[in-house]
Amino acid sequence: MIFHLGALGASACGIGGESFLAWVSEFYGKMAENKKRPEDISLRNVIERQNPEEVLNIVGAIIRIEVGEFKTRRRDARARALASYYLTCYAGLTQREVAEYLNVGTGSSVGKQMKKLVNDRGNDRKLAKLMETMEGRLSHTQNVVAGDR
């Protein structure tokens, strides 16, 4: 079986007709003018990260605690695990950044809290419902931006 791959080598921008590829190239060039590094350019829809305080406000309002309580050390604190989970999902923080932000200790501690939370969610209907509510509220405050930010 012989395959002719000549058409695929025509453009690094994508597959399509000449006018489409010209449009993609022009669009990419305009985006590149505003970026310092080529890897910062995205041609996909990008979900805008939420402000970490906004995430904590929403999570805190749902579970009825003050935002400051997320930053207070407690043993087996599910509230901090919820905050950690949603700060990574919706604010785009790394586990290490969450650890610093919530005064947890290390990124590894955050990861362990999140793993336990996800396991508990599968076995606890009340927790699963609570997390569904949080995800619904957080999703409604998120913006989708066409292309790059």
Side-chain angles (χ1 to χ4, degrees):
M1 193 177 262
I2 298 174
F3 294 99
H4 180 61
L5 300 176
L8 294 177
S11 173
C13 292
I15 298 173
E18 287 183 35
S19 63
F20 173 74
L21 293 175
W23 175 84
V24 169
S25 182
E26 181 182 337
F27 185 72
Y28 186 85
K30 287 179 183 175
M31 290 176 70
E33 291 172 4
N34 301 323
K35 300 294 178 188
K36 292 179 184 174
R37 302 173 70 172
E39 60 268 22
D40 291 341
I41 302 166
S42 173
L43 296 176
R44 298 180 179 159
N45 286 340
V46 177
I47 296 175
E48 212 171 77
R49 293 178 177 175
Q50 291 179 253
N51 179 306
E53 284 299 313
E54 183 180 335
V55 172
L56 292 182
N57 283 330
I58 291 170
V59 172
I62 292 169
I63 59 176
R64 296 184 180 110
I65 68 167
E66 296 293 322
V67 170
E69 291 185 50
F70 289 120
K71 298 178 183 183
T72 304
R73 288 182 182 252
R74 289 203 180 103
R75 194 157 174 78
D76 194 35
R78 184 172 275 172
R80 287 179 88 180
L82 287 164
S84 298
Y85 183 79
Y86 291 115
L87 284 169
T88 58
C89 293
Y90 290 92
L93 300 181
T94 64
Q95 291 177 2
R96 184 180 299 156
E97 291 168 333
V98 170
E100 289 176 25
Y101 195 77
L102 296 180
N103 193 29
V104 171
T106 65
S108 176
S109 300
V110 170
K112 289 175 186 174
Q113 280 183 340
M114 290 172 40
K115 184 176 181 180
K116 182 178 183 329
L117 180 71
V118 170
N119 287 337
D120 290 349
R121 181 183 192 168
N123 301 319
D124 184 340
R125 286 187 197 173
K126 188 175 178 181
L127 175 62
K129 183 71 175 160
L130 178 70
M131 291 178 75
E132 278 181 37
T133 301
M134 289 180 184
E135 289 160 8
R137 290 270 302 277
L138 288 163
S139 294
H140 288 298
T141 60
Q142 216 169 26
N143 295 322
V144 177
V145 179
D148 203 353
R149 289 184 252 177

